[in-house]
């Protein structure tokens, strides 16, 4: 059973920078896993932020960026805002099947 | 404006069946793959199933294979999830989500979800 692992929780100061990561139990994450990132706030549906490793959707603020880092997919938030406090999920593609990470609760404090 | 509206959730007894619907608007439905994703109360997201835009190519998480069936009616712009032999662990908010293309792995738009509760 494939497991995708994210940090359970992270804290960033307002205006600060934080990187969330997404690891696969099958080995290094590459662009072929098409990493997607989603933001979910309490009581709301998830909102797509990043697709295909590095691409922002038209509505994604420029302070969010996606990359590959040390064999993992990564989401970097530069210049954190209070409204960025949320749960963040990555999604990896395994040639048909897809697996979400367990989510990272990001606190802006 | 893309809109996805799920319906069909409710309370069902263990072993029962339910069919979820997702009515889509604001895009050419037949040109896009669609997925179902669920979220158990207080838990994370779990991918359930994906269906390509043409209707061929279906994929399921192992725990629902042979129990759930994803389908679509492109003439009605509607995605379905037929859920049989439901178990307590299927209790969740079920979201439908649109992909960026007919075979694209990437998701963009999500609905607001429909709640399925499996309990006696």
């Amino acid at each position: 059973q494939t497991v995708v692992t994210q940090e359970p929780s992270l804290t960033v100061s307002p205006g600060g920078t934080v990187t969330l990561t997404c690891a696969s139990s099958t080995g290094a994450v590459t662009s072929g896993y098409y990493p997607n990132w989603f933001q979910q706030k309490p009581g709301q549906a998830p909102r797509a932020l990043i697709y295909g490793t590095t691409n922002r959707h038209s509505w994604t603020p420029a302070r969010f960026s996606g990359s590959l880092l040390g064999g993992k997919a990564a989401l970097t938030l530069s210049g954190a805002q209070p409204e960025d406090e949320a749960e963040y999920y990555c999604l990896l593609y395994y040639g048909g099947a897809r697996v979400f990470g367990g989510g990272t609760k990001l606190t802006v404090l | 404006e893309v809109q996805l509206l799920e319906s069909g959730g409710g309370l069902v007894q263990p072993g029962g069946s339910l069919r979820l619907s997702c009515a889509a608007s604001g895009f050419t439905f037949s040109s896009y793959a669609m997925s179902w994703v669920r979220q158990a109360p207080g838990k994370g997201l779990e991918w359930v199933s994906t269906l390509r835009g043409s209707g061929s190519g279906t994929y399921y998480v192992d725990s629902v294979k042979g129990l759930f069936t994803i389908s679509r009616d492109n003439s009605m712009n509607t995605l379905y999830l037929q859920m049989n032999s439901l178990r307590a662990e299927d209790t969740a908010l079920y979201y439908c989500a649109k992909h960026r293309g007919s075979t694209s792995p990437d998701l963009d738009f999500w609905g607001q979800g429909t709640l399925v509760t499996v309990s006696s």
Side-chain angles (χ1 to χ4, degrees):
Chain A
Q1 179 180 344
T2 302
V3 177
V4 176
T5 302
Q6 299 181 241
E7 298 85 0
S9 63
L10 290 170
T11 300
V12 61
S13 299
T17 296
V18 64
T19 296
L20 290 64
T21 67
C22 175
S24 173
S25 62
T26 61
V29 176
T30 66
S31 59
Y33 288 80
Y34 296 89
N36 279 215
W37 290 91
F38 305 91
Q39 178 193 66
Q40 187 179 34
K41 296 181 179 179
Q44 297 184 14
R47 183 177 74 136
L49 291 176
I50 298 289
Y51 67 94
T53 309
T54 61
N55 303 290
R56 293 186 198 91
H57 291 278
S58 58
W59 53 83
T60 304
R63 61 183 181 273
F64 290 96
S65 62
S67 65
L68 296 176
L69 195 64
K72 300 178 183 181
L75 175 71
T76 298
L77 172 58
S78 304
Q81 302 296 309
E83 61 264 30
D84 298 329
E85 184 162 296
E87 193 87 21
Y88 291 83
Y89 294 93
C90 67
L91 174 65
L92 299 181
Y93 173 72
Y94 293 88
R98 291 140 172 92
V99 181
F100 281 96
T104 295
K105 181 175 175 55
L106 182 65
T107 300
V108 180
L109 188 61
Chain B
E1 179 192 4
V2 172
Q3 291 194 358
L4 300 170
L5 185 62
E6 301 94 336
S7 61
L11 175 63
V12 61
Q13 291 189 341
S17 297
L18 214 52
R19 189 177 82 157
L20 306 184
S21 300
C22 171
S25 61
F27 62 102
T28 304
F29 181 70
S30 60
S31 296
Y32 294 89
M34 299 291 294
S35 283
W36 288 99
V37 175
R38 66 185 178 184
Q39 187 168 34
K43 302 297 184 183
L45 301 174
E46 181 183 32
W47 169 77
V48 175
S49 182
T50 295
L51 176 58
R52 291 185 170 178
S54 62
S56 65
T58 58
Y59 309 92
Y60 299 92
V61 66
D62 285 348
S63 60
V64 308
K65 282 181 182 175
L67 303 176
F68 291 9
T69 302
I70 191 172
S71 63
R72 63 195 299 158
D73 183 338
N74 287 338
S75 68
M76 296 290 288
N77 292 344
T78 303
L79 178 74
Y80 301 102
L81 187 67
Q82 177 68 43
M83 304 186 295
N84 297 330
S85 302
L86 284 161
R87 303 161 293 189
E89 53 264 40
D90 296 315
T91 293
L93 186 61
Y94 283 73
Y95 296 102
C96 71
K98 170 187 168 292
H99 289 242
R100 295 190 72 252
S102 180
T103 59
S104 169
D106 304 312
L107 302 179
D108 50 17
F109 293 94
W110 294 63
Q112 290 301 305
T114 186
L115 182 62
V116 172
T117 303
V118 184
S119 175
S120 55

